[in-house]
Amino acid sequence: MCVIMVFSFGILASPLARFLKPTMKPGEFFQAADMPAAVRNVEFNLTDFPADWTCRPFEFQMKYVVFNPEQEQIRKIPGFAVRIAPGNIVAFSRLCPNGRGCILNYKSESCCGCIESTVEQCICAAKRNHAILVCPSHQSTFDLTQGGRVLAGPAPRPPLQFDVIRQGDVISINRLEVGIS
Ligand code: FES
């Protein structure tokens, strides 16, 4: 009786597990978690950033494990890599965190024409003396020197940031921060 129960459980375990996790292969109970991963690293050379505020656009491809015939879906995330100080390169997603699919622009010299006199009151790149990211839809504005802090507009949080790894002269972007969507 006991043997029959163990046998039955053994036969049912795999289909049951695959019902609970459709992307699991037959019998592979311990396969790695379905975490999104870079299709390939984005790489730059240090010479691509000859001066502060040099901005390089890139496209980051992220692979998601999904339950479809290909068992995967590739999403393309546009980004900017920017040198904000000597040896300090940051990379941000260009997807507006306001969640409407808008693409952020890089503004290095814009002036909104406002009459605010102090840097803190004005969001202009020109008055802040460094570039910012701006959403063309509702003018959400982000400070690249402060982790993408929201300076103005309705966006609820900074744009997502990429990990930037430097090995010698090679700048490698291989991961989007946790919280990806
Ligand atoms: S969609 Fe970006 S601020 Fe509205």
Short mmCIF file of all heavy atoms in Angstrom, two decimals, residues 3 11 34 42-43 45 50 52 55 61 84 110 115 119-120 134 153 176:
data_model
loop_
_atom_site.label_atom_id
_atom_site.label_comp_id
_atom_site.label_asym_id
_atom_site.label_seq_id
_atom_site.Cartn_x
_atom_site.Cartn_y
_atom_site.Cartn_z
N VAL A 3 3.97 1.44 -0.82
CA VAL A 3 4.75 1.51 -2.06
C VAL A 3 3.91 2.13 -3.18
O VAL A 3 4.37 2.96 -3.96
CB VAL A 3 5.23 0.10 -2.46
CG1 VAL A 3 5.89 0.13 -3.83
CG2 VAL A 3 6.17 -0.45 -1.41
N ILE A 11 4.74 9.72 -9.68
CA ILE A 11 4.23 9.94 -11.04
C ILE A 11 3.56 11.31 -11.14
O ILE A 11 3.68 12.02 -12.14
CB ILE A 11 3.24 8.82 -11.41
CG1 ILE A 11 4.02 7.54 -11.67
CG2 ILE A 11 2.40 9.20 -12.63
CD1 ILE A 11 3.18 6.38 -12.13
N ASP A 34 13.50 31.59 -12.38
CA ASP A 34 13.28 32.29 -13.65
C ASP A 34 13.54 33.78 -13.52
O ASP A 34 12.65 34.61 -13.66
CB ASP A 34 11.83 32.07 -14.12
CG ASP A 34 11.55 30.63 -14.44
OD1 ASP A 34 12.52 29.88 -14.64
OD2 ASP A 34 10.37 30.26 -14.48
N VAL A 42 26.41 45.27 -22.27
CA VAL A 42 26.70 46.44 -23.10
C VAL A 42 28.09 46.92 -22.68
O VAL A 42 28.35 47.08 -21.49
CB VAL A 42 25.67 47.55 -22.87
CG1 VAL A 42 26.06 48.82 -23.62
CG2 VAL A 42 24.28 47.08 -23.30
N GLU A 43 28.97 47.11 -23.65
CA GLU A 43 30.33 47.51 -23.29
C GLU A 43 30.75 48.80 -23.98
O GLU A 43 30.44 49.03 -25.14
CB GLU A 43 31.32 46.38 -23.62
CG GLU A 43 31.13 45.20 -22.70
CD GLU A 43 32.29 44.21 -22.76
OE1 GLU A 43 33.11 44.30 -23.68
OE2 GLU A 43 32.33 43.34 -21.86
N ASN A 45 34.30 51.68 -23.97
CA ASN A 45 35.68 51.89 -23.55
C ASN A 45 35.75 53.24 -22.84
O ASN A 45 34.97 54.13 -23.15
CB ASN A 45 36.62 51.86 -24.76
CG ASN A 45 38.06 51.70 -24.34
OD1 ASN A 45 38.69 52.64 -23.87
ND2 ASN A 45 38.58 50.50 -24.49
N PRO A 50 35.31 60.99 -23.15
CA PRO A 50 36.51 61.83 -23.03
C PRO A 50 36.36 62.98 -22.03
O PRO A 50 37.35 63.50 -21.54
CB PRO A 50 36.71 62.35 -24.45
CG PRO A 50 35.37 62.27 -25.08
CD PRO A 50 34.67 61.12 -24.46
N ASP A 52 33.64 65.05 -18.89
CA ASP A 52 32.45 64.97 -18.05
C ASP A 52 31.22 65.35 -18.87
O ASP A 52 31.27 66.21 -19.74
CB ASP A 52 32.58 65.92 -16.86
CG ASP A 52 33.61 65.43 -15.86
OD1 ASP A 52 34.08 64.29 -16.01
OD2 ASP A 52 33.94 66.20 -14.93
N CYS A 55 27.63 61.72 -23.02
CA CYS A 55 26.47 60.81 -22.89
C CYS A 55 26.45 59.83 -24.06
O CYS A 55 26.54 60.24 -25.21
CB CYS A 55 25.19 61.64 -22.87
SG CYS A 55 23.70 60.63 -22.84
N GLN A 61 19.38 44.55 -23.72
CA GLN A 61 18.40 43.51 -24.00
C GLN A 61 18.29 42.58 -22.79
O GLN A 61 19.28 42.01 -22.35
CB GLN A 61 18.81 42.73 -25.24
CG GLN A 61 18.75 43.59 -26.48
CD GLN A 61 18.87 42.79 -27.75
OE1 GLN A 61 18.88 41.57 -27.75
NE2 GLN A 61 18.92 43.48 -28.86
N ILE A 84 29.69 61.48 -15.17
CA ILE A 84 29.30 62.64 -14.36
C ILE A 84 30.50 63.26 -13.64
O ILE A 84 30.40 64.35 -13.10
CB ILE A 84 28.19 62.28 -13.34
CG1 ILE A 84 28.67 61.19 -12.38
CG2 ILE A 84 26.93 61.87 -14.05
CD1 ILE A 84 27.68 60.93 -11.25
N SER A 110 19.67 72.94 -21.82
CA SER A 110 18.35 73.55 -21.96
C SER A 110 18.09 74.58 -20.87
O SER A 110 18.63 74.51 -19.78
CB SER A 110 17.28 72.46 -21.87
OG SER A 110 17.28 71.93 -20.57
N ILE A 115 12.04 82.42 -14.32
CA ILE A 115 12.74 83.57 -13.71
C ILE A 115 13.27 83.23 -12.33
O ILE A 115 13.71 84.12 -11.61
CB ILE A 115 11.79 84.79 -13.64
CG1 ILE A 115 10.51 84.39 -12.89
CG2 ILE A 115 11.46 85.31 -15.03
CD1 ILE A 115 9.64 85.56 -12.53
N VAL A 119 19.56 77.82 -8.02
CA VAL A 119 19.65 76.51 -8.66
C VAL A 119 18.56 75.59 -8.13
O VAL A 119 17.92 74.86 -8.89
CB VAL A 119 21.05 75.91 -8.37
CG1 VAL A 119 21.07 74.43 -8.75
CG2 VAL A 119 22.10 76.65 -9.17
N GLU A 120 18.30 75.63 -6.84
CA GLU A 120 17.33 74.70 -6.26
C GLU A 120 15.92 74.99 -6.74
O GLU A 120 15.08 74.11 -6.81
CB GLU A 120 17.39 74.75 -4.73
CG GLU A 120 18.59 74.02 -4.15
CD GLU A 120 18.81 72.63 -4.78
OE1 GLU A 120 17.83 71.88 -4.93
OE2 GLU A 120 19.96 72.32 -5.14
N VAL A 134 14.97 64.44 -18.87
CA VAL A 134 13.65 65.08 -18.88
C VAL A 134 12.67 64.22 -19.68
O VAL A 134 13.01 63.74 -20.76
CB VAL A 134 13.73 66.49 -19.52
CG1 VAL A 134 12.35 67.16 -19.50
CG2 VAL A 134 14.74 67.35 -18.80
N GLY A 153 8.00 67.38 -11.58
CA GLY A 153 7.09 66.57 -12.38
C GLY A 153 6.43 65.46 -11.58
O GLY A 153 6.73 65.25 -10.41
N LEU A 176 20.26 45.38 -14.68
CA LEU A 176 19.37 46.46 -14.26
C LEU A 176 19.09 46.27 -12.78
O LEU A 176 18.98 45.14 -12.31
CB LEU A 176 18.08 46.40 -15.07
CG LEU A 176 17.11 47.58 -15.00
CD1 LEU A 176 17.80 48.89 -15.38
CD2 LEU A 176 15.94 47.35 -15.92
#
